[in-house]
Amino acid sequence: MTSVRHPVDTVPPPGRLAAFGLQHVLAMYAGAVAVPLIVGGAMKLSPADLAYLINADLLLCGIATVLQCVGLWRFGVRLPIMQGCTFAAVTPMVLIGTEGGGLPAIYGSVIVAGVAMVLLAPVFGRLLRFFPPLVTGTVILIIGLSLLPVAANWAAGGQGAADFGTPRNLGLAAGVLALVLVVQRFAPGFLGRVAVLVGIVAGTVAAIPLGFTDFSGVGGADWIGVSTPFHFGAPAFPVAAVVSMLVVALVTMTETTGDVIAVGELTGRPVDARRLADGLRADGAATVLGGVFNTFPYTAFAQNVGLVGMTRVRSRWVVAAAGGMLVVLGLAPKLGAVVAAVPAPVLGGAGLVMFGTVAASGLRTLAGVDFRDGHDLTVVAVSVAVGLLPVGVPGLYAKFPDWFQTVMDSGISAGCVTAIALNLLFNHLPGGRTSAPAAAEAPLLEGRGGQDAVEQTGEQRV
């Protein structure tokens, strides 16, 4: 009798593995390199140093992704989760880099934050019972909605572009979006699963004669580039820098918890306390390595959550293969320059459907919540409102202390903290309804995907 393997653990044939993995790389590349570009630009680093930061970032993104997907002892959630630099750390790192000690102080505080994440992982794991479908669905919905402006900026040409919002940019994005939808709807089997990859590749090819692409950076890039430990000097540990980065660590762990639970639902493998702790521990280990190898704190990348939900490709080995590709890109700057030439509007067209899929997945989870007494409706309404405030009005909290901005300037962390607090208020404190632990609500978390996942062979579902 042939044993049935869960779709998360199946390994597709080599050709499909490479195509699915490349799709994940292209979907997250722009976001992956954004943090070193922003921080390095604010510090007025030389082009050579900026290139070094990007290569180091790609290398560690790949290593962190492989660790998260494949796992090593108690490190790694073993789900299809891409890892990338967290945007929650951008503002504190810019302040540390420009006013508080430069890159050595950034990397020292990042190392301390990573160690703290490893130590705190079991504590966060025990908080899983405070993430019932009411909270997880709300957080997933906020993740999707807060990412849509990112896709919109890409579609318009990229924030700060001279031709931002021109009809040609939006037209290219619309064309890619239409192609992704057509391929997903009408293409047979495997081709429909790589609709995003088809859209990005076809959009890039179509953009060449239209003058959207710039491959000039490819010729000047090195074939091989290796990131060495403490390239910018020995780490420093100013107290203010360390404290601010510890706040970032808490925010990052909160965001990662939401992303991990979301992927667990999408793949039909609900996350328990131990698995969540393993995932957070891998985040911390990757962050420590980031401080050593000249890059930044790492977290689960929400961009790729939408790709998992849209394609229904649940294999963690697909994302591990994507991590391997990122390692190669980090060691081969010339290849990284080729991928970097993908026009922003092309990524925007694909991003709209991916990020919208994340939001729709949140709605699907919330469909299992009983809203009849109005309390749970209030939790969702206020959490979504608070989560979208910094998305709709950037700079809203500019007059507040830095630690407050670190938490609240991220719509994901702001909405997640609000959803947890309101769920406690209405459903856990004396006088409220007692919420069942997340483990007891596993059938709701699994939804339609969980049941059919274990009934299908890897060949059918991968």
Side-chain angles (χ1 to χ4, degrees), residues 277-307:
D278 291 349
L280 294 171
R281 200 176 283 114
D283 265 12
T287 297
V288 172
L289 290 175
V292 172
F293 286 93
N294 321 291
T295 181
F296 309 114
Y298 285 88
T299 186
F301 238 41
Q303 285 91 324
N304 294 81
V305 175
L307 194 56

PDB file of all heavy atoms in Angstrom, residues 277-307:
ATOM      1  N   ALA A 277       7.407  27.984  17.833  1.00  0.00           N
ATOM      2  CA  ALA A 277       8.663  28.304  18.509  1.00  0.00           C
ATOM      3  C   ALA A 277       9.860  27.968  17.636  1.00  0.00           C
ATOM      4  O   ALA A 277      10.847  28.719  17.579  1.00  0.00           O
ATOM      5  CB  ALA A 277       8.742  27.564  19.846  1.00  0.00           C
ATOM      6  N   ASP A 278       9.796  26.841  16.934  1.00  0.00           N
ATOM      7  CA  ASP A 278      10.892  26.465  16.036  1.00  0.00           C
ATOM      8  C   ASP A 278      11.071  27.486  14.920  1.00  0.00           C
ATOM      9  O   ASP A 278      12.198  27.821  14.533  1.00  0.00           O
ATOM     10  CB  ASP A 278      10.622  25.085  15.430  1.00  0.00           C
ATOM     11  CG  ASP A 278      10.716  23.962  16.444  1.00  0.00           C
ATOM     12  OD1 ASP A 278      11.194  24.227  17.579  1.00  0.00           O
ATOM     13  OD2 ASP A 278      10.304  22.833  16.129  1.00  0.00           O
ATOM     14  N   GLY A 279       9.950  27.992  14.390  1.00  0.00           N
ATOM     15  CA  GLY A 279      10.033  28.997  13.341  1.00  0.00           C
ATOM     16  C   GLY A 279      10.624  30.302  13.839  1.00  0.00           C
ATOM     17  O   GLY A 279      11.476  30.917  13.175  1.00  0.00           O
ATOM     18  N   LEU A 280      10.194  30.742  15.009  1.00  0.00           N
ATOM     19  CA  LEU A 280      10.725  31.981  15.584  1.00  0.00           C
ATOM     20  C   LEU A 280      12.196  31.823  15.953  1.00  0.00           C
ATOM     21  O   LEU A 280      12.988  32.762  15.825  1.00  0.00           O
ATOM     22  CB  LEU A 280       9.907  32.366  16.818  1.00  0.00           C
ATOM     23  CG  LEU A 280       8.447  32.752  16.546  1.00  0.00           C
ATOM     24  CD1 LEU A 280       7.688  32.900  17.849  1.00  0.00           C
ATOM     25  CD2 LEU A 280       8.371  34.030  15.730  1.00  0.00           C
ATOM     26  N   ARG A 281      12.570  30.635  16.396  1.00  0.00           N
ATOM     27  CA  ARG A 281      13.968  30.374  16.733  1.00  0.00           C
ATOM     28  C   ARG A 281      14.839  30.473  15.474  1.00  0.00           C
ATOM     29  O   ARG A 281      15.959  31.004  15.528  1.00  0.00           O
ATOM     30  CB  ARG A 281      14.080  28.985  17.368  1.00  0.00           C
ATOM     31  CG  ARG A 281      15.341  28.778  18.183  1.00  0.00           C
ATOM     32  CD  ARG A 281      15.330  27.418  18.850  1.00  0.00           C
ATOM     33  NE  ARG A 281      14.460  27.398  20.021  1.00  0.00           N
ATOM     34  CZ  ARG A 281      13.344  26.687  20.113  1.00  0.00           C
ATOM     35  NH1 ARG A 281      12.946  25.953  19.099  1.00  0.00           N
ATOM     36  NH2 ARG A 281      12.630  26.704  21.203  1.00  0.00           N
ATOM     37  N   ALA A 282      14.322  30.001  14.345  1.00  0.00           N
ATOM     38  CA  ALA A 282      15.067  30.113  13.090  1.00  0.00           C
ATOM     39  C   ALA A 282      15.207  31.573  12.669  1.00  0.00           C
ATOM     40  O   ALA A 282      16.258  31.992  12.165  1.00  0.00           O
ATOM     41  CB  ALA A 282      14.358  29.318  11.986  1.00  0.00           C
ATOM     42  N   ASP A 283      14.153  32.367  12.881  1.00  0.00           N
ATOM     43  CA  ASP A 283      14.242  33.803  12.628  1.00  0.00           C
ATOM     44  C   ASP A 283      15.374  34.428  13.434  1.00  0.00           C
ATOM     45  O   ASP A 283      16.156  35.245  12.921  1.00  0.00           O
ATOM     46  CB  ASP A 283      12.925  34.487  13.012  1.00  0.00           C
ATOM     47  CG  ASP A 283      11.991  34.660  11.832  1.00  0.00           C
ATOM     48  OD1 ASP A 283      12.257  34.053  10.781  1.00  0.00           O
ATOM     49  OD2 ASP A 283      10.998  35.387  11.958  1.00  0.00           O
ATOM     50  N   GLY A 284      15.446  34.065  14.711  1.00  0.00           N
ATOM     51  CA  GLY A 284      16.486  34.620  15.564  1.00  0.00           C
ATOM     52  C   GLY A 284      17.876  34.209  15.124  1.00  0.00           C
ATOM     53  O   GLY A 284      18.799  35.032  15.097  1.00  0.00           O
ATOM     54  N   ALA A 285      18.036  32.936  14.775  1.00  0.00           N
ATOM     55  CA  ALA A 285      19.347  32.469  14.313  1.00  0.00           C
ATOM     56  C   ALA A 285      19.766  33.189  13.035  1.00  0.00           C
ATOM     57  O   ALA A 285      20.931  33.587  12.877  1.00  0.00           O
ATOM     58  CB  ALA A 285      19.304  30.957  14.079  1.00  0.00           C
ATOM     59  N   ALA A 286      18.808  33.369  12.106  1.00  0.00           N
ATOM     60  CA  ALA A 286      19.117  34.080  10.867  1.00  0.00           C
ATOM     61  C   ALA A 286      19.482  35.533  11.140  1.00  0.00           C
ATOM     62  O   ALA A 286      20.359  36.109  10.477  1.00  0.00           O
ATOM     63  CB  ALA A 286      17.919  34.005   9.914  1.00  0.00           C
ATOM     64  N   THR A 287      18.832  36.145  12.135  1.00  0.00           N
ATOM     65  CA  THR A 287      19.141  37.529  12.486  1.00  0.00           C
ATOM     66  C   THR A 287      20.544  37.644  13.069  1.00  0.00           C
ATOM     67  O   THR A 287      21.281  38.597  12.770  1.00  0.00           O
ATOM     68  CB  THR A 287      18.087  38.061  13.477  1.00  0.00           C
ATOM     69  OG1 THR A 287      16.801  38.055  12.835  1.00  0.00           O
ATOM     70  CG2 THR A 287      18.407  39.466  13.931  1.00  0.00           C
ATOM     71  N   VAL A 288      20.936  36.683  13.893  1.00  0.00           N
ATOM     72  CA  VAL A 288      22.311  36.675  14.415  1.00  0.00           C
ATOM     73  C   VAL A 288      23.304  36.578  13.259  1.00  0.00           C
ATOM     74  O   VAL A 288      24.293  37.332  13.199  1.00  0.00           O
ATOM     75  CB  VAL A 288      22.516  35.509  15.407  1.00  0.00           C
ATOM     76  CG1 VAL A 288      23.992  35.384  15.781  1.00  0.00           C
ATOM     77  CG2 VAL A 288      21.677  35.717  16.658  1.00  0.00           C
ATOM     78  N   LEU A 289      23.052  35.652  12.336  1.00  0.00           N
ATOM     79  CA  LEU A 289      23.928  35.527  11.168  1.00  0.00           C
ATOM     80  C   LEU A 289      23.934  36.812  10.344  1.00  0.00           C
ATOM     81  O   LEU A 289      24.964  37.196   9.788  1.00  0.00           O
ATOM     82  CB  LEU A 289      23.473  34.354  10.294  1.00  0.00           C
ATOM     83  CG  LEU A 289      23.703  32.952  10.867  1.00  0.00           C
ATOM     84  CD1 LEU A 289      23.095  31.898   9.936  1.00  0.00           C
ATOM     85  CD2 LEU A 289      25.186  32.690  11.054  1.00  0.00           C
ATOM     86  N   GLY A 290      22.765  37.478  10.271  1.00  0.00           N
ATOM     87  CA  GLY A 290      22.694  38.740   9.550  1.00  0.00           C
ATOM     88  C   GLY A 290      23.630  39.776  10.139  1.00  0.00           C
ATOM     89  O   GLY A 290      24.326  40.493   9.409  1.00  0.00           O
ATOM     90  N   GLY A 291      23.684  39.873  11.469  1.00  0.00           N
ATOM     91  CA  GLY A 291      24.593  40.821  12.101  1.00  0.00           C
ATOM     92  C   GLY A 291      26.052  40.480  11.874  1.00  0.00           C
ATOM     93  O   GLY A 291      26.904  41.365  11.772  1.00  0.00           O
ATOM     94  N   VAL A 292      26.348  39.193  11.779  1.00  0.00           N
ATOM     95  CA  VAL A 292      27.732  38.759  11.555  1.00  0.00           C
ATOM     96  C   VAL A 292      28.146  38.987  10.098  1.00  0.00           C
ATOM     97  O   VAL A 292      29.266  39.440   9.815  1.00  0.00           O
ATOM     98  CB  VAL A 292      27.901  37.276  11.937  1.00  0.00           C
ATOM     99  CG1 VAL A 292      29.286  36.761  11.531  1.00  0.00           C
ATOM    100  CG2 VAL A 292      27.665  37.084  13.427  1.00  0.00           C
ATOM    101  N   PHE A 293      27.238  38.715   9.169  1.00  0.00           N
ATOM    102  CA  PHE A 293      27.576  38.780   7.743  1.00  0.00           C
ATOM    103  C   PHE A 293      27.042  40.049   7.065  1.00  0.00           C
ATOM    104  O   PHE A 293      26.684  40.035   5.886  1.00  0.00           O
ATOM    105  CB  PHE A 293      27.057  37.531   7.028  1.00  0.00           C
ATOM    106  CG  PHE A 293      27.867  36.300   7.312  1.00  0.00           C
ATOM    107  CD1 PHE A 293      27.497  35.443   8.343  1.00  0.00           C
ATOM    108  CD2 PHE A 293      29.003  36.006   6.584  1.00  0.00           C
ATOM    109  CE1 PHE A 293      28.240  34.313   8.632  1.00  0.00           C
ATOM    110  CE2 PHE A 293      29.754  34.877   6.863  1.00  0.00           C
ATOM    111  CZ  PHE A 293      29.373  34.026   7.881  1.00  0.00           C
ATOM    112  N   ASN A 294      26.977  41.151   7.821  1.00  0.00           N
ATOM    113  CA  ASN A 294      26.766  42.482   7.246  1.00  0.00           C
ATOM    114  C   ASN A 294      25.389  42.699   6.630  1.00  0.00           C
ATOM    115  O   ASN A 294      25.264  43.336   5.581  1.00  0.00           O
ATOM    116  CB  ASN A 294      27.839  42.769   6.177  1.00  0.00           C
ATOM    117  CG  ASN A 294      29.209  42.251   6.563  1.00  0.00           C
ATOM    118  OD1 ASN A 294      29.834  42.764   7.481  1.00  0.00           O
ATOM    119  ND2 ASN A 294      29.680  41.206   5.890  1.00  0.00           N
ATOM    120  N   THR A 295      24.366  42.164   7.268  1.00  0.00           N
ATOM    121  CA  THR A 295      23.018  42.429   6.783  1.00  0.00           C
ATOM    122  C   THR A 295      22.105  42.661   7.988  1.00  0.00           C
ATOM    123  O   THR A 295      22.584  43.133   9.023  1.00  0.00           O
ATOM    124  CB  THR A 295      22.539  41.314   5.837  1.00  0.00           C
ATOM    125  OG1 THR A 295      21.241  41.606   5.374  1.00  0.00           O
ATOM    126  CG2 THR A 295      22.596  39.958   6.475  1.00  0.00           C
ATOM    127  N   PHE A 296      20.816  42.348   7.924  1.00  0.00           N
ATOM    128  CA  PHE A 296      19.859  42.917   8.854  1.00  0.00           C
ATOM    129  C   PHE A 296      18.931  41.847   9.451  1.00  0.00           C
ATOM    130  O   PHE A 296      19.057  40.673   9.124  1.00  0.00           O
ATOM    131  CB  PHE A 296      19.065  44.007   8.138  1.00  0.00           C
ATOM    132  CG  PHE A 296      19.946  45.011   7.438  1.00  0.00           C
ATOM    133  CD1 PHE A 296      19.954  45.130   6.057  1.00  0.00           C
ATOM    134  CD2 PHE A 296      20.804  45.813   8.183  1.00  0.00           C
ATOM    135  CE1 PHE A 296      20.787  46.040   5.425  1.00  0.00           C
ATOM    136  CE2 PHE A 296      21.640  46.736   7.558  1.00  0.00           C
ATOM    137  CZ  PHE A 296      21.638  46.857   6.172  1.00  0.00           C
ATOM    138  N   PRO A 297      17.971  42.232  10.319  1.00  0.00           N
ATOM    139  CA  PRO A 297      17.064  41.233  10.917  1.00  0.00           C
ATOM    140  C   PRO A 297      16.171  40.572   9.865  1.00  0.00           C
ATOM    141  O   PRO A 297      15.746  41.213   8.901  1.00  0.00           O
ATOM    142  CB  PRO A 297      16.211  42.071  11.895  1.00  0.00           C
ATOM    143  CG  PRO A 297      17.019  43.289  12.165  1.00  0.00           C
ATOM    144  CD  PRO A 297      17.766  43.576  10.901  1.00  0.00           C
ATOM    145  N   TYR A 298      15.845  39.296  10.106  1.00  0.00           N
ATOM    146  CA  TYR A 298      15.060  38.523   9.141  1.00  0.00           C
ATOM    147  C   TYR A 298      13.716  38.107   9.713  1.00  0.00           C
ATOM    148  O   TYR A 298      13.562  37.904  10.915  1.00  0.00           O
ATOM    149  CB  TYR A 298      15.855  37.296   8.683  1.00  0.00           C
ATOM    150  CG  TYR A 298      16.943  37.702   7.713  1.00  0.00           C
ATOM    151  CD1 TYR A 298      18.198  38.072   8.181  1.00  0.00           C
ATOM    152  CD2 TYR A 298      16.683  37.802   6.353  1.00  0.00           C
ATOM    153  CE1 TYR A 298      19.178  38.502   7.303  1.00  0.00           C
ATOM    154  CE2 TYR A 298      17.656  38.239   5.471  1.00  0.00           C
ATOM    155  CZ  TYR A 298      18.893  38.582   5.953  1.00  0.00           C
ATOM    156  OH  TYR A 298      19.856  39.040   5.081  1.00  0.00           O
ATOM    157  N   THR A 299      12.768  37.981   8.796  1.00  0.00           N
ATOM    158  CA  THR A 299      11.412  37.592   9.174  1.00  0.00           C
ATOM    159  C   THR A 299      10.763  36.856   8.012  1.00  0.00           C
ATOM    160  O   THR A 299      11.287  36.853   6.889  1.00  0.00           O
ATOM    161  CB  THR A 299      10.577  38.838   9.538  1.00  0.00           C
ATOM    162  OG1 THR A 299       9.302  38.430  10.033  1.00  0.00           O
ATOM    163  CG2 THR A 299      10.353  39.718   8.319  1.00  0.00           C
ATOM    164  N   ALA A 300       9.632  36.217   8.287  1.00  0.00           N
ATOM    165  CA  ALA A 300       8.864  35.583   7.209  1.00  0.00           C
ATOM    166  C   ALA A 300       8.368  36.664   6.256  1.00  0.00           C
ATOM    167  O   ALA A 300       7.904  37.719   6.687  1.00  0.00           O
ATOM    168  CB  ALA A 300       7.695  34.806   7.800  1.00  0.00           C
ATOM    169  N   PHE A 301       8.473  36.409   4.949  1.00  0.00           N
ATOM    170  CA  PHE A 301       8.103  37.412   3.949  1.00  0.00           C
ATOM    171  C   PHE A 301       6.647  37.224   3.547  1.00  0.00           C
ATOM    172  O   PHE A 301       6.285  36.228   2.919  1.00  0.00           O
ATOM    173  CB  PHE A 301       9.018  37.293   2.732  1.00  0.00           C
ATOM    174  CG  PHE A 301       9.771  38.559   2.433  1.00  0.00           C
ATOM    175  CD1 PHE A 301      10.315  39.301   3.461  1.00  0.00           C
ATOM    176  CD2 PHE A 301       9.933  39.010   1.145  1.00  0.00           C
ATOM    177  CE1 PHE A 301      11.015  40.481   3.206  1.00  0.00           C
ATOM    178  CE2 PHE A 301      10.627  40.178   0.871  1.00  0.00           C
ATOM    179  CZ  PHE A 301      11.172  40.910   1.908  1.00  0.00           C
ATOM    180  N   ALA A 302       5.818  38.201   3.909  1.00  0.00           N
ATOM    181  CA  ALA A 302       4.382  38.090   3.649  1.00  0.00           C
ATOM    182  C   ALA A 302       4.078  38.067   2.153  1.00  0.00           C
ATOM    183  O   ALA A 302       3.054  37.511   1.732  1.00  0.00           O
ATOM    184  CB  ALA A 302       3.646  39.254   4.317  1.00  0.00           C
ATOM    185  N   GLN A 303       4.957  38.681   1.330  1.00  0.00           N
ATOM    186  CA  GLN A 303       4.705  38.689  -0.114  1.00  0.00           C
ATOM    187  C   GLN A 303       4.488  37.285  -0.664  1.00  0.00           C
ATOM    188  O   GLN A 303       3.635  37.060  -1.528  1.00  0.00           O
ATOM    189  CB  GLN A 303       5.890  39.335  -0.857  1.00  0.00           C
ATOM    190  CG  GLN A 303       5.956  40.839  -0.727  1.00  0.00           C
ATOM    191  CD  GLN A 303       6.799  41.294   0.448  1.00  0.00           C
ATOM    192  OE1 GLN A 303       6.795  40.645   1.485  1.00  0.00           O
ATOM    193  NE2 GLN A 303       7.488  42.403   0.303  1.00  0.00           N
ATOM    194  N   ASN A 304       5.267  36.340  -0.150  1.00  0.00           N
ATOM    195  CA  ASN A 304       5.205  34.996  -0.705  1.00  0.00           C
ATOM    196  C   ASN A 304       4.090  34.151  -0.124  1.00  0.00           C
ATOM    197  O   ASN A 304       3.763  33.091  -0.656  1.00  0.00           O
ATOM    198  CB  ASN A 304       6.550  34.300  -0.507  1.00  0.00           C
ATOM    199  CG  ASN A 304       7.654  34.966  -1.311  1.00  0.00           C
ATOM    200  OD1 ASN A 304       8.193  35.978  -0.889  1.00  0.00           O
ATOM    201  ND2 ASN A 304       7.947  34.423  -2.468  1.00  0.00           N
ATOM    202  N   VAL A 305       3.484  34.617   0.966  1.00  0.00           N
ATOM    203  CA  VAL A 305       2.306  33.926   1.494  1.00  0.00           C
ATOM    204  C   VAL A 305       1.203  33.913   0.439  1.00  0.00           C
ATOM    205  O   VAL A 305       0.520  32.907   0.231  1.00  0.00           O
ATOM    206  CB  VAL A 305       1.816  34.606   2.788  1.00  0.00           C
ATOM    207  CG1 VAL A 305       0.516  33.958   3.263  1.00  0.00           C
ATOM    208  CG2 VAL A 305       2.878  34.510   3.884  1.00  0.00           C
ATOM    209  N   GLY A 306       1.033  35.052  -0.240  1.00  0.00           N
ATOM    210  CA  GLY A 306       0.010  35.131  -1.285  1.00  0.00           C
ATOM    211  C   GLY A 306       0.280  34.180  -2.430  1.00  0.00           C
ATOM    212  O   GLY A 306      -0.655  33.618  -3.018  1.00  0.00           O
ATOM    213  N   LEU A 307       1.540  33.971  -2.761  1.00  0.00           N
ATOM    214  CA  LEU A 307       1.880  33.063  -3.856  1.00  0.00           C
ATOM    215  C   LEU A 307       1.527  31.626  -3.498  1.00  0.00           C
ATOM    216  O   LEU A 307       1.046  30.866  -4.345  1.00  0.00           O
ATOM    217  CB  LEU A 307       3.371  33.189  -4.183  1.00  0.00           C
ATOM    218  CG  LEU A 307       3.849  32.566  -5.491  1.00  0.00           C
ATOM    219  CD1 LEU A 307       3.066  33.110  -6.675  1.00  0.00           C
ATOM    220  CD2 LEU A 307       5.334  32.811  -5.685  1.00  0.00           C
TER     221      LEU A 307
END
